[in-house]
Every structure is written in structure tokens, then in C-alpha cells.
Amino acid sequence: MSHFDESDAFEEAAGLSLSARAMAARPAPYLDGLNAPQREAVEALNGPVLMLAGAGTGKTKALTTRIAHLLNTGTARPNEILAVTFTNKAAREMKNRVWKLLGQTVEGMPWLGTFHAIGVKLLRRHAELVGLKSNFTILDTDDTVRLLKQLILAANIDEKRWPPRMLSSIIDSWKNRAWTPDKVPAEEANAFNQRGIELYHLYQRRLLELNAVDFGDLLLHVLTIFQKHEDVLAQYQRWFRYILVDEYQDTNVAQYMWLRLLAQGHKNICCVGDDDQSIYGWRGAEVGNILRFEKDFPGATVIRLEQNYRSTPHILGAASGVIEGNKGRLGKTLFTELDEGEKVRLIGHWDGEEEARWIGEEIEAMQGGTRGLDPVDLDGMAILVRASHQMRAFEDRFLTIGLPYRVIGGPRFYERMEIRDAMAYFRVACSPDDDLAFERIVNTPKRGAGDKAQQTMQRIARGNGVSLLEGARIAVAQGELSGKAKGEIGKLVDFFDRWHVHALDKSYNHVELAEIMLDESGYTEMWQLDKTPEAAGRLENLKELVKALDQFENLQGFLEHVALIMDNETEGEGSKVSIMTLHAAKGLEFPSVFLPGWEDGLFPSQRSMDESGVKGLEEERRLAYVGITRAEALCTISFAANRRTYGQWQSAMPSRFIDELPEDHVDVLTPPGLYGGGYGAAAPTVEARAAEANVYNSPGWKRLQQRQSRRPMSQPQESGNTVIDLDAISAFTQGDRVFHQKFGYGYVMGIEGDKLDIEFEKAGAKKVISKFIVSAERADDVPF
DNA sequence: CGCTGCATGCTTTTT
DNA sequence: GCATGCAGCG
């Protein structure tokens, strides 16, 4: 039974060591292309090393060259190096680059991968130590949420008060901090969370029953094993003689503890990170891990990579100006030898649609070369947004004008409904006791098994201590199911019996078997009969899924892959503009970058600031830094005065980060005369246009901005208690005549918390945050 | 049991 | 504005 085709990575070593030794003492031409600190980082092989590598300073180069050097000098064999990354993409790239540096000599680096992928490998070997079987299933977020929902309902808890999603993220955050259910500290166990901890216990117990783990468990279980079984830990401490960690600033507590345990003996650990690019705090990442490094590994060599090879001085200057607003940085001074280049361009727009239209036009112009710049290929351009819903405006616009684009990190292939359904069939065929998978498809396509029938099966399964599939079998045999369900479920059970046998005996190859399953189950037919517009695409996706299976040995191997590798590299042919979130853009670079949506509330995100106060704001600022530093030659920042959110028009102020851009590096573009008409009846007023065009330069705006920054809006707030801005509340009542900087005069029609519904005389009805409003009499105090 | 129509709440970011 | 979830009906 090969649930994972890793053979034995350690035994493999024997063969590989030959090639490693053969390479020993070879010349090292790869060292030539390095600058001094990079070279130092590569050559300091022994002992703890902390590499602080700013954006674009050749961090991956240093890291991969270091691996190459370890191998080339015969210091370590491929299997003795543990190299962890956060994304599969980074792992892949690292592998490729090591290969390139050394030629094709090195066959495998079995322990180069993401924390999660390595966690799976380790956990499969020692599953029994935490009460699992080594063929455990890996649940994704969707499975997790469904499971929690069942537990919540079973515990008679109000689903509204404890939404499964929320519980899922709380449990995940506990796991990130390496808290098993009994280790959740008392201060978390307030009245509200007491139930949460109970549910966490129940959840973990249920996972063991299901022989399943979630993402967090992949790390946490391994950590538990290391902590409780000294012999196992000692074994790995010996095996992993050299440890390398990429994107160290993104490690969470559990990962940190994991690394520290493994490195304890020899202390040959090299961590690479940039505190200014720490953008995963919300996922439990602890920038503090960087700061702790020197404490935990005294005498560590600290190397700073500060020469930037990517961006022009203007771009770098703008990015530095913004990030300087953060306190407590380790501090790096990036420099570059590149030519000055273009300033960062800044432009404001009336609304989000216009922003998309303008960017579309700019992109088309840049393709042909504009303002004396060389033409830029579409592949060299990217639009980086704060939140994925912003992507829509661009997709709409680009579809209209026929501009090819690619969305990176959008709704992923493996998260699509039809793919998950199909995989649920595969899962049950491979592991008949995968209840979650069975439950997912028991009535898809419709088999007449609704709530009642499903409850019956559940009850029987629980009563007999068997899987749901067995429960279904018994229910059929005992005639406990009604008319249609009885026959259909009976058939389904028979099918699964057959498929399971085939999955084991390989009388069909797994691709054929997958097709048979989808056909016999009626799943394909279900979509063929579906006349909705999506149906065709879904069938297409199913075909693609079957095609993807071909690259794997068997179904298990495929399922394993999918569980961990949720990314879909749609290597579409042809040149395309990329649209993605700022988070997804980390590590990438483009000649020309657009950063739209720089409005307070959107970016920095209001939610982030409300939930995490100054810490949240600083993380947002790092996101801004990451965004700007993605650009090589040209960076264009924009904001819109109005944007549709939840179907309602909302106005917003330009982002505070815009004011933090050093003026020397910024070129404020005046919007071209785009307002000539075509906006329908609600054409912007003269005032609105004027305000909009000058919004960045106007003294009034500056003053308003300053006044705001003195307000306690970015103070950390007690979670759960919204601090009410008394100023704002008491300032207005219904019917007041008021003035807004952009919309002019109007009357207050309604009040909702700190938001006012205002009927503006010229700009129409708007919902506006009260701090942007003054009473009409005081309008003179706020000059344009 | 399953469908339709209405109400609700939601948008950060992801291995 | 959209997707999801629920109540009520056939």
C-alpha cells in the first residue's frame, strides 16, 4: 500500500551520497556572481545564520546558492538538508534553481518543501504516536467547516452565535500558537470561549475517529511527537544536519518551536527573512520570531542584504518613505545602482469603474511604449489589489475592451464545487470510511436522500460504530429508507464496493476508474442535463481533472497532492496582464505595477485596523511596501473617491499611505478630461471634480488629513466593544444641513452609528462617515 | 423531498 | 450585489 510515494527518503540517501561525494571539492563558479554579503551568507555553512534580506536583494539566489554550496563541497548530502518554504511555488523554484546551479546531478532533495508538505511526510511515518493511522485524510477548510457545523448543532449551540467559520478560524489560530485543546491558556477561556474550547476538544476527538487531520494538525501533531518522544526527535536531529528556512518572518509559533527543536543539537540553521515584508500576522505569523533568533541562538551570524537589484531609486525611495512610518523595525537601508528612472505616479479617480477604465488605457498605451519608455509586454504588467473583490472591476473592464488578463489566486480549481464533488467520490473509493466525503456526495446527484434519510444513516452508523457507508448499507438492508432513496442508495453502496476493489486491485488504471466512477454514479450526467450556463464549464473542468490524474501513479497519490497543493498554475499561453492580491504578489516582480484602491478603509483595511489597532495598521503598511517594491521600472498608485460596496455607493478618503509617500519620488498626474459626460444624470458636480483633481495637493485635504491623524482611529480597541465616537454622534441630527468636502451641501436623512445618510444637493444620496462631514455653518472652516 | 422565493450578511489576506 | 440559507409550498 503506497499512500505516499516517498519510498524511504533516508534509505535513498545511500545512492545519492555517491554523487554528492563525487562533486566534492569541485570548483564553485556559482560563487562569482554574488556580492560580498551574499557570498558571506553562502559560505557561513556552520552555526546559526540570520539573513535579513530586503526586497529584491537576491535572497532566493543566496539561499539556493547556499544549498548548492553545501552539496558541492560535500558538506551535506541532499537528504540531510531540511529546507522549508511557505508556498509550493517557492519550493518548486528553489528546486529548479539548485538544479541549475549544479547541473542535473542532484536527483532529489526529499526534504525541500513547504512546512505542511514536510509535516505530512513526518506524520505519515509516526501517525500511530498521536492515535492516527498512517493513511489519514487531510481535510481542507471546507471539510473542516462542515464538520464543525455538525458538532455545533449536535452540542445544541446556536449556529448564529457560533458560526462554524468563525470557530474554525479560532481553532486554527490556537493551533498556530501550538495550543492543543488542554493547553489553551486560561485567559482565552473567557465566558465566550469556554464553549469554543469544549468544541475544540470535541473536534479533535472527532478528527481522530475519522482518521483525519486539518492543516494545523500537520504541524501540531508533529510538534507533539517531537515533544513527547525524545528518541524520534533525536533521530531527526541527527538526520537533518542542515536546516534552511525561507520567509522566516512568516513563521508562526508552532513552526518556530518545530524548527528550534530540530536545530537544538547542531544549530546549523539558516533563516532568511525580512521583517518589513511580514504580512501574515493574521494567520499567526510572529515577526517576533526574527527578533528572538539571536536570543535563542546566541552567537548567530547576522547578515544584511541591502543592495536592491530590482527597482529604480524613485520606486525604492517611495517604498522606504512609507515603511519608515513603522516602529520597531530591524532597519535596513536599501540602495541600488540603477538609474533614477520614473517617479511613482499617483492619480485620483471619480469612482472605481473609472479607475479600471484608466488603467486599461494605460496598459494599452504601455504596450506600445509611452512617455519615452520602452514598450512593456503584458506579462510584465500587474495590478495588485488589497482585497479580491476589487478584481471584479478590472475583469469587467478588460473583458469589454478585450485585454487579455490572468487572475492569480482567484477561485481555485480544486475548490470548485464539481471538482470537490468528484474528488469526494475518489476519496470514498480509496478510503470507504471517509465519512465527510461520503456525506458530500450521498445525495449528489439527487438520490432521494434528503435530511431524513441522511439522519437515519448517521444514526445507524453511530449506533453500530461503523462508517457512514456501512450505515447506509445496513439502512438499505433493514428497509429503513423510503422508496426512491432505498433503491438509489443501495445502488450507490454496491458501486462503491466495486470501485473500492478496483482501486485496490488495479484491474483498471486509475484514470479509467475515475471516468467510470463519474459516469456510473450519474455525476457527469447530472451536469449534462443541467441547462444553466455554468454547466458546460463544469464538465470542462471535470475533463481537466481526469486529465490531471494521468500524471499520478494512483488515486491516493493524486488526492494527497491535491490536499496540499491547492495552487493552480494556469500557465495560459499568450501574454496577459496579471491581476492578484498584494499577498499573492509577494516574491514576484514586474516592470510595471498598478496599485489601485488606495483609500482609507479599503487600504489600509478598516477591519484590520479595528481588530488589531496599530499592529494592524503597520501590517497594512508593510503590504504597501511589498506592493511598491514589486515594481522594477514603473509604479502607478491610484485611488477613487467613490466605490460601490455591498451594492451601495460609498465615498472614501485617499489612503493615509498616500500622504506618506515622499513628494520627491512622486509624480501627481492630473486626471485627463474624462468627465465630459457619459456618466448619465448623476454627472459629477463642478465642486466634486475640482476636489477630486486637487485632492492630493489641496491644503484643505492636508489639514483634514492631519486632523484625522490626531483622532484615535487607529488605537487598539477592546474586541467586541466598539468605541463610539461621541464627537461624531452628538454632532448631527436628522435634517441638519451639512457640508462634505467632495459632495458639497446636503441634508442628513438618517444616522446609522457613525455613518450618515445624506441627500446631497448636487451629488445625490450618499452614505458618508460622519467624521468627513461638517455642519453647513462651519463649512468655511474647511477650505477646498 | 425538493424547489422556489425571500431575507440576510458579507469582503481582507491563505498553507 | 451576490451568494448562501431558510421557510413555505407543491
Side-chain angles (χ1 to χ4, degrees):
Chain A
M1 183 164 72
S2 75
H3 288 284
F4 42 108
D5 300 299
E6 56 193 272
S7 24
D8 196 293
F10 293 114
E11 261 89 285
E12 247 171 57
L16 282 164
S17 66
L18 285 177
S19 59
R21 281 206 201 102
M23 286 188 294
R26 275 197 194 170
Y30 48 81
L31 291 175
D32 294 344
L34 302 176
N35 64 29
Q38 283 174 339
R39 186 159 178 155
E40 193 192 347
V42 167
E43 292 186 318
L45 294 181
N46 290 303
V49 175
L50 178 63
M51 211 194 301
L52 298 171
T57 55
K59 156 199 89 155
T60 311
K61 187 177 180 185
L63 205 52
T64 50
T65 309
R66 188 183 163 92
I67 294 177
H69 198 53
L70 278 169
L71 297 173
N72 193 45
T73 54
T75 312
R77 293 175 291 195
N79 60 302
E80 292 172 333
I81 299 174
L82 172 69
V84 279
T85 62
F86 275 83
T87 64
N88 296 295
K89 202 162 72 182
R92 222 176 304 135
E93 165 150 11
M94 210 176 281
K95 254 178 210 183
N96 287 337
R97 286 173 72 162
V98 173
W99 285 348
K100 263 191 205 142
L101 286 170
L102 291 178
Q104 295 294 321
T105 342
V106 180
E107 260 313 300
M109 293 262 309
W111 301 102
L112 190 166
T114 62
F115 272 104
H116 297 263
I118 291 168
V120 177
K121 263 192 185 178
L122 295 173
L123 192 53
R124 294 250 188 250
R125 290 161 169 261
H126 305 287
E128 77 289 349
L129 296 180
V130 284
L132 288 162
K133 290 185 275 174
S134 84
N135 63 346
F136 58 80
T137 342
I138 303 164
L139 304 186
D140 61 25
T141 333
D142 203 82
D143 292 323
T144 305
V145 170
R146 279 191 299 136
L147 183 54
L148 284 171
K149 189 174 174 178
Q150 289 174 11
L151 294 174
I152 289 168
L153 291 175
N156 249 327
I157 295 170
D158 185 6
E159 217 186 310
K160 293 270 155 54
R161 254 184 78 89
W162 268 110
R165 286 207 161 277
M166 186 191 185
L167 183 59
S168 160
S169 69
I170 290 175
I171 290 180
D172 192 54
S173 75
W174 285 340
K175 289 186 174 179
N176 285 336
R177 278 177 270 179
W179 294 341
T180 47
D182 46 328
K183 287 208 197 113
V184 178
E187 57 268 30
E188 288 280 313
N190 50 44
F192 190 57
N193 263 341
Q194 200 48 53
R195 301 307 294 271
I197 296 172
E198 279 167 37
L199 287 163
Y200 184 18
H201 269 109
L202 287 170
Y203 172 65
Q204 288 308 109
R205 209 167 303 146
R206 187 87 185 100
L207 284 176
L208 285 186
E209 282 166 21
L210 290 165
N211 190 32
V213 298
D214 65 16
F215 280 121
D217 286 340
L218 293 175
L219 298 164
L220 195 46
H221 280 322
V222 173
L223 189 61
T224 308
I225 291 169
F226 284 167
Q227 287 169 333
K228 291 202 179 144
H229 300 271
E230 274 180 43
D231 52 323
V232 177
L233 175 62
Q235 187 185 23
Y236 288 104
Q237 283 175 336
R238 275 197 308 278
W239 270 333
F240 299 139
R241 295 181 48 227
Y242 289 88
I243 300 174
L244 293 95
V245 188
D246 192 16
E247 305 283 13
Y248 183 60
Q249 76 284 349
D250 290 338
T251 48
N252 60 37
V253 172
Q255 289 160 337
Y256 178 78
M257 292 171 69
W258 213 84
L259 291 169
R260 204 177 50 181
L261 284 173
L262 284 171
Q264 240 165 26
H266 48 63
K267 299 195 166 57
N268 292 326
I269 181 168
C270 171
C271 294
V272 189
D274 180 0
D275 51 323
D276 290 335
Q277 292 188 67
S278 162
I279 54 176
Y280 286 102
W282 51 273
R283 212 169 77 186
E286 288 280 340
V287 209
N289 288 346
I290 291 197
L291 306 165
R292 281 180 61 169
F293 189 85
E294 289 185 76
K295 283 197 195 110
D296 284 320
F297 297 99
T301 311
V302 179
I303 298 167
R304 286 184 155 77
L305 303 189
E306 297 179 306
Q307 178 167 5
N308 176 292
Y309 294 96
R310 179 188 296 154
S311 316
T312 63
H314 277 312
I315 290 170
L316 231 42
S320 304
V322 171
I323 199 67
E324 270 162 23
N326 277 4
K327 301 260 181 329
R329 298 169 55 222
L330 284 174
K332 288 176 302 300
T333 321
L334 294 190
F335 67 97
T336 174
E337 292 172 356
L338 298 178
D339 286 339
E340 191 176 51
E342 293 281 310
K343 289 186 177 182
V344 170
R345 307 184 308 160
L346 177 66
I347 185 166
H349 299 281
W350 174 248
D351 63 19
E353 270 115 77
E354 190 199 296
E355 183 181 51
R357 189 173 318 147
W358 184 83
I359 289 178
E361 280 161 17
E362 278 293 297
I363 289 171
E364 288 182 327
M366 277 179 201
Q367 278 184 279
T370 180
R371 294 152 48 96
L373 289 173
D374 290 337
V376 184
D377 188 79
L378 288 181
D379 281 331
M381 297 192 247
I383 297 167
L384 312 182
V385 297
R386 175 63 183 85
S388 46
H389 70 260
Q390 290 172 261
M391 294 181 179
R392 201 203 173 103
F394 294 98
E395 290 198 62
D396 284 353
R397 181 63 193 160
F398 295 171
L399 282 172
T400 317
I401 61 175
L403 184 67
Y405 68 89
R406 120 188 71 218
V407 170
I408 294 178
R412 298 142 188 252
F413 185 71
Y414 291 116
E415 281 172 11
R416 287 160 208 250
M417 183 201 344
E418 65 277 14
I419 301 302
R420 298 179 47 80
D421 287 342
M423 293 205 312
Y425 277 100
F426 305 164
R427 275 164 62 182
V428 179
C430 289
S431 337
D433 47 6
D434 190 333
D435 287 0
L436 284 168
F438 182 75
E439 195 180 296
R440 183 179 177 97
I441 45 78
V442 67
N443 202 31
T444 314
K446 298 274 177 279
R447 297 192 173 88
D451 276 354
K452 213 176 135 236
Q454 291 193 39
Q455 274 166 26
T456 307
M457 291 186 272
Q458 291 272 11
R459 177 172 48 78
I460 294 174
R462 291 277 168 101
N464 293 283
V466 294
S467 69
L468 254 185
L469 178 64
E470 292 309 309
R473 191 193 310 281
I474 298 169
V476 172
Q478 298 181 345
E480 299 224 27
L481 297 177
S482 57
K484 190 182 174 202
K486 182 175 182 175
E488 291 292 316
I489 297 298
K491 265 198 271 175
L492 183 69
V493 172
D494 290 345
F495 277 139
F496 271 124
D497 287 345
R498 276 214 346 265
W499 297 335
H500 182 54
V501 171
H502 291 320
L504 294 180
D505 72 7
K506 311 209 155 111
S507 48
Y508 292 98
N509 90 30
H510 62 288
V511 182
E512 285 173 328
L513 179 59
E515 279 172 333
I516 290 172
M517 283 192 269
L518 294 179
D519 281 345
E520 291 185 343
S521 63
Y523 192 71
T524 313
E525 191 189 15
M526 177 182 104
W527 288 114
Q528 282 164 346
L529 296 177
D530 192 309
K531 285 182 291 284
T532 54
E534 307 90 79
R538 297 200 194 274
L539 284 166
E540 206 49 46
N541 288 337
L542 287 172
K543 259 193 217 152
E544 225 173 285
L545 175 74
V546 172
K547 216 165 68 190
L549 275 173
D550 206 25
Q551 295 162 20
F552 292 83
E553 293 262 313
N554 51 41
L555 280 177
Q556 281 95 341
F558 176 73
L559 292 172
E560 175 98 316
H561 166 87
V562 170
L564 285 175
I565 302 175
M566 297 292 272
D567 60 354
N568 61 329
E569 290 293 297
T570 33
E571 279 304 319
E573 51 283 353
S575 186
K576 290 171 177 160
V577 192
S578 302
I579 306 175
M580 68 187 98
T581 62
L582 287 162
H583 284 87
K586 191 161 75 151
L588 305 178
E589 56 190 15
F590 302 89
S592 177
V593 166
F594 290 91
L595 301 170
W598 281 42
E599 294 128 43
D600 249 48
L602 179 60
F603 188 44
S605 136
Q606 193 58 53
R607 181 158 167 185
S608 178
M609 292 188 291
D610 289 348
E611 281 173 10
S612 318
V614 175
K615 250 181 111 187
L617 177 64
E618 295 206 337
E619 181 150 317
E620 297 288 306
R621 195 176 277 119
R622 291 192 289 270
L623 265 177
Y625 175 78
V626 167
I628 298 170
T629 53
R630 296 311 95 194
E632 294 167 5
L634 194 59
C635 177
T636 311
I637 295 172
S638 59
F639 57 91
N642 299 288
R643 205 175 278 281
R644 263 167 114 117
T645 8
Y646 307 135
Q648 280 229 298
W649 282 100
Q650 299 247 226
S651 65
M653 296 304 257
S655 170
R656 63 192 73 188
F657 298 150
I658 284 177
D659 251 21
E660 297 175 9
L661 295 165
E663 284 187 42
D664 296 350
H665 299 296
V666 175
D667 193 2
V668 180
L669 307 187
T670 310
L674 293 173
Y675 305 113
Y679 277 86
T685 60
V686 177
E687 294 91 325
R689 271 189 253 163
E692 196 270 331
N694 294 320
V695 75
Y696 179 65
N697 289 326
S698 76
W701 151 240
K702 289 262 188 194
R703 222 178 306 158
L704 198 66
Q705 184 77 355
Q706 272 163 18
R707 208 177 59 188
Q708 272 167 38
S709 63
R710 269 184 261 118
R711 283 178 179 252
M713 55 191 293
S714 54
Q715 294 296 309
Q717 296 180 358
E718 292 293 319
S719 59
N721 300 330
T722 312
V723 175
I724 294 165
D725 189 340
L726 293 172
D727 248 342
I729 297 288
S730 55
F732 307 104
T733 46
Q734 207 161 341
D736 278 0
R737 183 171 159 79
V738 294
F739 177 80
H740 180 274
Q741 198 209 2
K742 288 200 289 289
F743 302 130
Y745 291 94
Y747 289 96
V748 176
M749 305 309 281
I751 301 170
E752 267 180 64
D754 65 337
K755 294 195 185 68
L756 304 172
D757 282 321
I758 297 174
E759 184 71 41
F760 288 102
E761 285 163 12
K762 302 208 165 114
K766 307 266 184 212
K767 199 173 260 185
V768 182
I769 297 179
S770 61
K771 60 171 78 84
F772 299 139
I773 296 294
V774 292
S775 96
E777 296 85 39
R778 293 201 294 150
D780 294 341
D781 296 344
V782 184
F784 257 62

